[in-house]
Amino acid sequence: MISTAPKLFTDEQTRRLYATDASSYEELPEAVAFPKTTAEIVGLVAYAREQDCPLTARGAGTSLAGQTTGGGIIMDIGRNMNQIMDIDPQGQTARVRPGVIRDTLNRQAAQYNLLFGPDTATTNRCMIGGMIGNNSCGLFSIKHRTTREHVLEIEAVLSDGSKAVFKPLTPTELTAKMELDTLEGKIYREMTTLLENHREQILENYPHPQIIRRNTGYALDRLCEMQPFTDDGRPFNMAELLCGSEGTLAITTSAKLNLVPQDPEKVVLVPHFSSIRAAMEATVEAVKMDPAAVELVDDIILNATKGNIEQQKNRFFLDGDPKGILIIQFDGDNRSRLKTKAEELARRLQDLKLSASTPIITDPDKIDRVWHLRKAGLGLLMGLGAKGRTPTFCEDTAVRVVDLPNYVDDFQKILDRHNSNCVFYAHASVGELHLRPVINLKKEQEIEKMKTMAGEIADLVRHYRGSLSGEHGDGRTRAPYIEKVLGPEMMPLLKQVKHIWDPQGLFNPGKIVNPKPMEQDLRYSPSYRPPSVNTQFKWRKEESFSDAVELCNGAGVCRKLADSGGTMCPSYMATQNEKDSTRGRANLFRQLFSGRQQEAFQSGELRDALDLCLSCKACKSECPANVDMARMKAEFMHGWHQANGISLGERFFAQAANLYPLAGQMPRFSNWMMRQPAVKELLYQLLGIDKRRRLPEFAREPFDQWLKERKEASPSPASTDKPGVVLLVDIFTNYHEPDIAKAALHFLEATGHQVIVPAFHELGRPQLSKGMVSHAKEVLDEHLPLLSAYADRGLPIVGIEPSEILTLRDEYLDLCDDNQLKSVQKIAKQSFTFEEFAQKVLAASNAVPSPDTRRKVYIHGHCHAKALIGNEATHEALRLAGYDPEILETGCCGMAGSFGYEERHYDVSMDIGELTLFPALRPLPDDALICVPGFSCRHQIEDGVHRQAVHPAQLLAASIQ
């Protein structure tokens, strides 16, 4: 191999991880490479030529037409080639490597009040190279048009390994390029000849020029608009051809981009409709008002938001259950004028009897929430499960806006003819709708239906002189039908373009031209074998373990970086390795279990991929499809333990309750021992505990011992009129931080409650985190009778540690037997985190806090709480108690129970802490109150920034003294 080429990874795990993207396809590559420089790409191209091996460039892998899958070498440019090389605020340009994430660029450009305009639903993880390859457009394409309009120059590696820069050329410069005795010169000579000979034919057959989003085939019509082919055209720039070429012609190594000023104000109008036809007629009216965006969301997606934890809170603007809505945004510098425009359009739609409900939203935070719901659309469809699976074979068509109402009617006729339902959503403002008929690819007759419908839809697009692909590219899905849309006379020209640029056919073959049949290499097909294995969890919501492993559609929301906000996926944020993303792990689950079935529980590659999963549960809410990787990991680890046994370290962390009573009886000795170097070495050797960690010290008196002595000294009366409440004190609070339990008890008693403290300290959380699921089931069985008795009496069950108490509301519902389910459901309904219950108590008391006692409190939320219930209860309880709370925008702390204590995880644990949490805490005043509900979070903060954090119970108890 040439020395400058990057290392090729040929192991099965890596190849599996890159076998899929967000499309319906799965093709195992021969190898995967992660180049760091242009020189390494040159070397890789030379190697591919020598071996006659196809080469497919890939960024985030969010493409929907299969264009980033391939059987040769997959080249991931995202991991290393992700530098913003320069931002020129005066010239309003940026020069970037192809692996730069769009939102990352815009965060840096924002300091100059600039942005890169194209705004896809995937902007928190999609990369500029991929946006160029697909000519991405997004939500605001009526305003910003496409990526093509914002790419000024492209530096690329050609198929012979040479380098070239494509940019606007004067006639003299174009002539000079054509005289070069290189592949670049040959490209210019033969491309100009092709355009000269076929200009009229191209313009006649290509989509209507009024259609902004037209990406069918190669953009020959765009080149025909330039000089010298159009006298008053813009300068000739082959970069426009590369935009939308899907990596089939050249490999982008850097790009110079146009940036545009940000508009300071925005207003959103959301009219509701009783039919999709009415929404399309309203779109025709809306575009007359010069909006920045007009997006359609139909009832299928809106209904899916009801069952999504993250999106439920974003439904605030919905009035009933409309058939569809339009999200119409107006941008400018005067909010009042924008609101007036929105009101005028709302009246117009009402007068035309198109919409009776037209809410207008002006608050920026609420506007962001509306768009969050819209952007979740693709993943929400996958959250519907197998019954709602919608392959992307026709979802990207575009027609003129004026044709939309009739086009939708004609499309519905095709659906009716094939007895199929369809999802309607996306970019109505520019005539593009994501139309996704429901097709079950596991059935042969459904595949035949898909192929027939694809042909009929292509004919319909041709009838309206539309574009088969408006944004997501031809790839493998639509390439077989380009001929129907552009006509048979265009296909030789497209093939000639491919041959001019890539005569050996190395770059991403089979995309745009010479495609395989659309039904080949499908992820799901009649030959697919769904997993049929014995599991510990019941997987009731998903209906089966098989359905659970098929939830991920590859949209890659889990690949966003920490700067984009949220918590998912903390290990990927730290390593940026595909195997550490929820998507990567989910793909391995599906591939291995569908292939090896029960034997997949012994898979070393899946065990490795799960090693850095912190079981934070962020994916359960932030993943639009609600993939619960924490539960999948627990299920897998249980099966792994059955075959390979349970290590001493895993037993130690999972069954601390067996050891703590002894250590708690002699706390001073226990603490002294844990500080000794020899003991630290022993703990490292036996249990894998990192010697750099400070182990939590045992309190001089555990809470249960203190409570026993308190009761003996002052027995409570046998009966009382006070309302009862059950306080669950977890083992770590009991032995390490009993003052927190005392504070919780004080608060509950001071607010008029009779407090019952059960004698047990665990609900199975540590066991679940180590995959000892059967042991957790034993804990459930042991404590269920007493918990049921509390629930039957109507007693609230309150927990101090969020992960423990939320186990009752989450895993118990799937861990219990069928005959236990009703009891567990009742317990779940009556279980509360301490903060949730405190909020209810304080809200009911109608107490008015004194403004003189208000003090700033900074809140870092527990991952499980953020995923399952949010931070609002903590914030509201502290506010009601008289504090001035602020929720910090921090993700996972990186400790995650025992994860951060383990030597093999220590560095990643601290790296995760440095992503958002540690930087957020360091600038705070020395006397700042830092409120953290989670035990491991507080200890990570102490180790990471040497700050003391307190539990909400301590602050709330102090507020009522």
Side-chain angles (χ1 to χ4, degrees):
M1 183 184 296
I2 297 175
S3 60
T4 55
K7 177 182 178 180
L8 292 181
F9 291 81
T10 58
D11 60 283
E12 184 178 358
Q13 182 196 71
T14 305
R15 293 166 63 218
R16 285 185 182 276
L17 289 168
Y18 285 87
T20 63
D21 53 13
S23 73
S24 302
Y25 294 95
E26 182 170 285
E27 188 173 2
L28 197 67
E30 296 179 20
V32 181
F34 305 93
K36 298 182 178 68
T37 63
T38 299
E40 287 195 345
I41 292 178
V42 170
L44 192 59
V45 170
Y47 175 77
R49 284 171 56 82
E50 177 186 316
Q51 300 296 319
D52 196 25
C53 181
L55 181 61
T56 298
R58 168 172 169 145
T62 58
S63 294
L64 294 172
Q67 52 264 65
T68 60
T69 61
I73 299 171
I74 299 292
M75 184 183 70
D76 181 347
I77 51 86
R79 183 181 296 184
N80 300 311
M81 298 190 70
N82 51 20
Q83 299 79 30
I84 297 175
M85 304 160 69
D86 174 65
I87 293 180
D88 177 6
Q90 284 73 40
Q92 297 187 1
T93 63
R95 191 175 293 276
V96 301
R97 292 295 184 192
V100 169
I101 294 173
R102 186 270 192 183
D103 281 0
T104 300
L105 170 61
N106 276 358
R107 276 190 290 272
Q108 291 202 27
Q111 62 185 309
Y112 308 111
N113 197 39
L114 297 172
L115 65 93
F116 179 66
D119 185 24
T120 69
T122 58
T123 53
N124 61 4
R125 69 266 191 200
C126 75
M127 299 172 184
I128 298 298
M131 295 185 76
I132 290 172
N134 277 355
N135 189 34
S136 298
C137 314
L139 284 65
F140 295 89
S141 53
I142 192 172
K143 175 181 179 180
H144 295 301
R145 301 183 72 85
T146 75
T147 294
R148 184 176 286 133
E149 279 80 16
H150 298 272
V151 175
L152 304 176
E153 298 179 10
I154 291 177
E155 184 179 274
V157 174
L158 303 180
S159 62
D160 66 346
S162 62
K163 293 181 287 186
V165 176
F166 297 99
K167 61 182 180 179
L169 300 175
T170 65
T172 301
E173 290 171 331
L174 176 58
T175 300
K177 288 286 188 182
M178 294 170 62
E179 293 174 351
L180 294 174
D181 187 21
T182 60
L183 177 56
E184 181 185 7
K186 177 176 179 289
I187 288 171
Y188 276 102
R189 287 191 298 274
E190 297 191 9
M191 285 297 300
T192 53
T193 299
L194 182 151
L195 296 169
E196 286 170 354
N197 293 339
H198 300 281
R199 179 180 182 275
E200 297 304 321
Q201 188 181 20
I202 291 168
L203 293 178
E204 180 181 341
N205 283 277
Y206 265 65
H208 197 290
Q210 288 182 9
I211 300 172
I212 292 174
R213 303 161 69 112
R214 50 189 203 274
N215 280 346
T216 303
Y218 294 117
L220 299 180
D221 57 335
R222 297 283 298 192
L223 297 184
C224 289
E225 298 170 358
M226 301 174 185
Q227 302 174 20
F229 311 105
T230 298
D231 291 340
D232 57 350
R234 56 193 177 276
F236 191 78
N237 185 358
M238 210 83 80
E240 292 197 31
L241 178 71
L242 294 181
C243 290
S245 65
E246 303 179 21
T248 62
L249 304 182
I251 296 174
T252 299
T253 58
S254 73
K256 183 179 180 181
L257 308 175
N258 172 60
L259 304 178
V260 296
Q262 294 187 25
D263 284 307
E265 299 289 349
K266 54 190 174 183
V267 169
V268 162
L269 167 68
V270 191
H272 295 39
F273 303 95
S274 58
S275 70
I276 298 299
R277 167 83 190 199
M280 296 300 92
E281 292 177 1
T283 298
V284 176
E285 297 298 322
V287 297
K288 298 174 184 177
M289 304 286 290
D290 191 28
V294 183
E295 292 289 302
L296 172 70
V297 183
D298 77 353
D299 59 330
I300 296 177
I301 293 176
L302 293 177
N303 288 333
T305 64
K306 296 177 181 178
N308 182 272
I309 297 171
E310 183 75 7
Q311 296 306 324
Q312 284 173 357
K313 63 183 115 176
N314 294 332
R315 290 176 49 87
F316 68 93
F317 61 92
L318 292 173
D319 180 9
D321 291 304
K323 179 65 177 176
I325 61 171
L326 291 178
I327 304 174
I328 305 170
Q329 180 165 310
F330 296 100
D331 289 352
D333 58 6
N334 186 301
R335 185 182 299 184
S336 178
R337 283 201 294 266
L338 297 177
K339 186 178 179 184
T340 299
K341 184 183 287 190
E343 291 169 344
E344 180 182 344
L345 178 57
R347 285 192 299 271
R348 175 67 174 160
L349 299 181
Q350 291 169 359
D351 291 344
L352 292 172
K353 299 189 182 325
L354 294 174
S355 176
S357 180
T358 54
I360 295 173
I361 303 162
T362 59
D363 179 83
D365 291 335
K366 290 184 177 180
I367 289 174
D368 287 344
R369 287 168 59 190
V370 173
W371 286 117
H372 287 325
L373 182 141
R374 158 61 187 93
K375 287 190 173 187
L378 172 62
L380 289 170
L381 295 178
M382 287 305 296
L384 298 176
K387 295 178 182 177
R389 188 163 289 132
T390 55
T392 60
F393 69 97
C394 64
E395 66 120 35
D396 204 29
T397 61
V399 297
R400 294 185 303 166
V401 175
V402 71
D403 291 329
L404 269 178
N406 291 334
Y407 175 74
V408 167
D409 284 348
D410 289 341
F411 194 95
Q412 186 62 53
K413 291 175 185 176
I414 294 176
L415 295 174
D416 294 341
R417 192 157 56 244
H418 292 280
N419 193 28
S420 181
N421 297 317
C422 185
V423 176
F424 293 78
Y425 78 110
H427 319 296
S429 64
V430 287
E432 177 179 343
L433 295 182
H434 294 332
L435 306 168
R436 301 175 66 120
V438 176
I439 297 287
N440 186 349
L441 296 177
K442 296 177 184 177
K443 296 182 178 180
E444 193 68 50
Q445 63 269 30
E446 291 280 289
I447 289 182
E448 290 304 313
K449 179 201 289 190
M450 176 178 70
K451 291 165 61 179
T452 301
M453 289 180 67
E456 293 177 2
I457 292 165
D459 289 336
L460 180 63
V461 171
R462 171 76 172 186
H463 171 74
Y464 282 97
R465 200 182 170 189
S467 179
L468 191 61
S469 169
E471 169 180 29
H472 295 156
D474 297 317
R476 297 192 53 174
T477 306
R478 283 175 280 277
Y481 300 93
I482 294 175
E483 183 172 350
K484 276 181 169 288
V485 175
L486 297 186
E489 58 269 38
M490 287 294 101
M491 297 312 298
L493 299 187
L494 298 183
K495 291 178 181 179
Q496 187 178 343
V497 171
K498 172 66 173 174
H499 184 75
I500 290 170
W501 287 76
D502 181 21
Q504 197 171 336
L506 294 177
F507 288 171
N508 208 12
K511 320 297 162 54
I512 301 181
V513 299
N514 302 316
K516 298 179 184 179
M518 72 179 300
E519 72 272 22
Q520 190 171 328
D521 300 322
L522 290 170
R523 190 187 310 181
Y524 300 108
S525 68
S527 62
Y528 173 79
R529 293 176 61 214
S532 179
V533 298
N534 300 320
T535 61
Q536 296 297 298
F537 289 109
K538 305 301 181 184
W539 301 98
R540 290 185 169 100
K541 179 183 177 183
E542 296 83 357
E543 297 185 6
S544 70
F545 177 70
S546 173
D547 289 309
V549 302
E550 294 174 13
L551 273 178
C552 176
N553 71 326
V557 181
C558 48
R559 285 178 54 100
K560 68 181 187 298
L561 301 183
D563 289 346
S564 291
T567 300
M568 178 181 71
C569 176
S571 52
Y572 175 79
M573 289 178 178
T575 69
Q576 297 183 40
N577 190 328
E578 178 73 16
K579 79 176 179 67
D580 299 321
S581 69
T582 303
R583 178 177 75 178
R585 295 166 181 141
N587 275 330
L588 289 177
F589 260 102
R590 175 180 44 75
Q591 293 167 1
L592 291 166
F593 274 96
S594 64
R596 302 178 188 175
Q597 301 292 318
Q598 195 74 27
E599 292 183 4
F601 282 115
Q602 301 180 41
S603 167
E605 60 240 70
L606 185 50
R607 172 71 178 87
D608 175 64
L610 290 168
D611 185 54
L612 295 185
C613 174
L614 286 77
S615 298
C616 68
K617 284 196 172 289
C619 50
K620 187 177 175 71
S621 61
E622 293 181 31
C623 169
N626 300 139
V627 173
D628 189 347
M629 189 52 62
R631 189 174 304 181
M632 293 170 71
K633 176 183 179 181
E635 187 75 77
F636 172 81
M637 289 306 301
H638 173 85
W640 175 270
H641 293 325
Q642 298 298 106
N644 300 284
I646 304 172
S647 71
L648 186 60
E650 288 169 322
R651 289 189 182 277
F652 171 79
F653 284 116
Q655 298 180 324
N658 296 334
L659 302 173
Y660 267 38
L662 177 62
Q665 288 181 4
M666 40 187 180
R668 290 184 178 178
F669 177 72
S670 298
N671 295 335
W672 177 83
M673 287 287 291
M674 289 189 300
R675 289 192 292 266
Q676 303 311 303
V679 174
K680 280 181 170 284
E681 179 64 30
L682 184 64
L683 291 174
Y684 165 68
Q685 294 294 338
L686 292 178
L687 308 177
I689 297 176
D690 195 280
K691 289 180 283 187
R692 292 167 287 185
R693 279 291 182 195
R694 179 192 58 82
L695 295 174
E697 294 197 345
F698 287 89
R700 281 190 268 182
E701 184 180 41
F703 174 75
D704 56 3
Q705 181 63 35
W706 173 85
L707 185 63
K708 178 182 178 182
E709 294 172 356
R710 181 182 188 241
K711 288 181 178 179
E712 291 174 350
S714 178
S716 300
S719 63
T720 177
D721 293 333
K722 295 180 179 179
V725 60
V726 178
L727 179 64
L728 295 181
V729 180
D730 61 280
I731 189 170
F732 302 107
T733 300
N734 185 67
Y735 285 100
H736 293 304
E737 298 180 330
D739 286 346
I740 293 175
K742 295 175 187 177
L745 180 65
H746 171 73
F747 175 85
L748 295 173
E749 290 180 339
T751 52
H753 295 85
Q754 181 184 17
V755 184
I756 302 168
V757 182
F760 58 85
H761 299 299
E762 60 176 352
L763 296 173
R765 180 77 256 156
Q767 290 88 342
L768 289 170
S769 69
K770 290 301 176 187
M772 296 169 60
V773 184
S774 59
H775 294 75
K777 179 61 166 63
E778 292 172 3
V779 174
L780 183 158
D781 291 339
E782 179 183 354
H783 300 321
L784 185 60
L786 184 54
L787 291 170
S788 293
Y790 293 144
D792 290 340
R793 291 167 56 189
L795 296 176
I797 302 169
V798 178
I800 292 174
E801 176 63 25
S803 60
E804 283 283 350
I805 191 66
L806 291 174
T807 301
L808 297 180
R809 287 157 62 170
D810 189 21
E811 284 88 358
Y812 269 32
L813 293 168
D814 252 4
L815 191 58
C816 66
D817 297 328
D818 290 342
N819 65 335
Q820 299 172 319
L821 182 57
K822 286 187 178 179
S823 294
V824 171
Q825 288 173 333
K826 192 170 185 179
I827 292 167
K829 288 180 180 179
Q830 293 178 211
S831 299
F832 305 92
T833 64
F834 180 82
E835 301 79 54
E836 286 180 302
F837 189 73
Q839 178 194 358
K840 291 177 179 291
V841 169
L842 292 172
S845 70
N846 295 317
V848 180
S850 169
D852 295 334
T853 61
R854 293 185 73 81
R855 184 175 174 189
K856 191 76 173 178
V857 177
Y858 301 92
I859 303 169
H860 165 69
H862 189 284
C863 284
H864 287 202
K866 283 188 283 190
L868 300 175
I869 61 174
N871 287 322
E872 290 78 11
T874 305
H875 180 278
E876 187 64 7
L878 291 171
R879 187 191 67 81
L880 291 169
Y883 295 97
D884 178 18
E886 177 185 334
I887 298 175
L888 296 173
E889 293 297 324
T890 49
C892 180
C893 74
M895 184 67 88
S898 65
F899 180 90
Y901 286 99
E902 296 164 351
E903 187 272 339
R904 72 179 191 275
H905 297 149
Y906 176 83
D907 290 334
V908 171
S909 170
M910 299 306 285
D911 288 344
I912 292 171
E914 288 290 356
L915 292 173
T916 56
L917 178 59
F918 297 166
L921 296 179
R922 288 192 181 103
L924 298 183
D926 292 340
D927 61 346
L929 282 178
I930 303 171
C931 178
V932 180
F935 174 84
S936 58
C937 302
R938 293 191 295 275
H939 286 261
Q940 175 79 324
I941 287 170
E942 188 169 354
D943 283 359
V945 293
H946 310 295
R947 304 288 291 261
Q948 296 296 316
V950 296
H951 190 279
Q954 294 169 295
L955 296 176
L956 295 175
S959 72
I960 59 173
Q961 287 181 345

